[in-house]
Amino acid sequence: MGRCCFYAAGTLSLLLLVTSVTLLVARVFQKAVDRTIEKNIVLRNGSETFDSWKKPPLPVYTQFYLFNVTNPEEILRGEIPLLEEVGPYTYREIRNKADIQFGENGTTISAVSNKAYVFVRDQSVGDPKIDLIRTLNIPAVAAMEWAQQRFLREIIQALLKAYQQKFFVTHTVDSLLWGYKDELLSLIHTFRPEIPPYFGLYYGKNATNDGDYVFLTGEDNYLNFSKIVEWNGKTSLDWWTTDKCNMINGTDGDSFHPLITKDEVLYVFPSDFCRSLYITFSDFESVQGLPAFRYTVPEEILANTSDNAGFCIPPGNCLGSGVLNVSVCKNGAPIILSFPHFYQADERFVSAIEGMHPNKEHHQTFVDINPLTGVILRAAKRFQINVYVEKIDDFIETGNIRTMVFPVMYVNESVLIDKETASRLKSVINTTLIITNIPYIVMALGVLFGLVFTWLACRGQRFEDEGTADERASLIRT
């Protein structure tokens, strides 16, 4: 009986160890899990993935920080602007996909991304309908920029004088964000219909969408999950000077494909940036007990390099690192985008404005993604809206102002997975961990039976030694 147990333990140990090594080398269970995830995370009508894509369950909050001008007269005399950050004014962002239509073969899906903003008073510093902000008169600055032709310049000069337009104006936060009817724009609208008579930093963005999208469903390849192939009927942009810069790459930033590796470069197309961006792995994170890869926007995205030369408008006119001239997609208004407080920008942009304090913690854009499922666990999209200003001899309103990129407002759009969703996701991840760790469990059993085999071998040897000793003692007595 003992000898049978001895051989059984040894054989079983060997079989288990060989099996576990084979399973590990062949990645049998890992491949099974990967195939299951690839099959399930597809935009297929009626699936949980589709429902989450159509109506994202995670709460998104948008915080607006405006820069109040405290020394307007001194600025027009050529002194450094002194700005005071006022905010946040927080809004709950309601998102959903609408007008959804699947392509014939199920590999594409078209939709619009609706957004609506609801004010959250207890997360804000004040009432946007009451609080006043002094800032640039952006419609007037834009009109001066449009006045390239002589006859148009004379008309705008006359309008600025007739309406006593100043370089700085004061409005409520609500008006600056969502729009007010501007006298100057109303008149310009009559001969330039594409220019709306209203102005607001987020005018036309509440309870609306940013255009028609065509996405890939991931049916043919999981790496294509939710990738954009068309926006407003175009497969590429036409604002920039090179084909590479005009490419529409990646997702809309609301979702990513599953099975992400830290060596991957992920692409996103935020339409408000008028271009595609990429994000790269930065660090390992844990969010609500869930593992995450932190991806950030690298400094090279807005660097003044040859790769970004196509974003310089007109060609060769590059403002410097850390800023992006998007006037080409803003009706010619001199709008410049950057990260908040000119984070990652040239020092000269920071030193030109009193009140800029860039730091990584508050001004970096990042996204924490669960690598197994591609689900966003936490994210912060942060950018700043600026206006390019300079002294224009034909317009006395500009005074002796310095040439600079003038901050107006920055936005922090953030999301954090809630505990209930995190708990459900954790259950899925734990299940996959158990399945993928089966080879190690088999190996552990192999080691256990190997120890039993060793113990039985040692025990058998001891009994044999004791028996030999007794026999020798008997012979000596004889």
Side-chain angles (χ1 to χ4, degrees), residues 138-198:
I138 298 179
V141 175
M144 296 176 199
E145 188 69 22
W146 295 328
Q148 301 297 324
Q149 298 175 342
R150 184 171 182 80
F151 82 94
L152 190 58
R153 185 184 304 120
E154 292 174 353
I155 292 174
I156 291 177
Q157 284 176 329
L159 292 175
L160 290 172
K161 186 176 181 180
Y163 289 108
Q164 298 181 340
Q165 294 283 315
K166 303 295 183 182
F167 203 75
F168 295 100
V169 291
T170 300
H171 290 286
T172 64
V173 171
D174 186 80
S175 294
L176 287 171
L177 286 176
W178 309 115
Y180 60 90
K181 191 168 185 178
D182 184 79
E183 295 173 323
L184 183 61
L185 293 181
S186 296
L187 285 171
I188 294 175
H189 176 70
T190 59
F191 55 88
R192 285 192 63 179
E194 73 275 12
I195 305 297
Y198 291 86

Side-chain angles (χ1 to χ4, degrees), residues 413-442:
E413 191 178 281
S414 61
V415 62
L416 175 64
I417 191 170
D418 58 88
K419 291 183 178 179
E420 182 182 349
T421 306
S423 179
R424 292 201 303 269
L425 184 58
K426 193 178 295 184
S427 176
V428 172
I429 292 173
N430 287 340
T431 301
T432 60
L433 282 175
I434 291 172
I435 294 172
T436 55
N437 282 326
I438 285 177
Y440 294 102
I441 297 172
V442 173

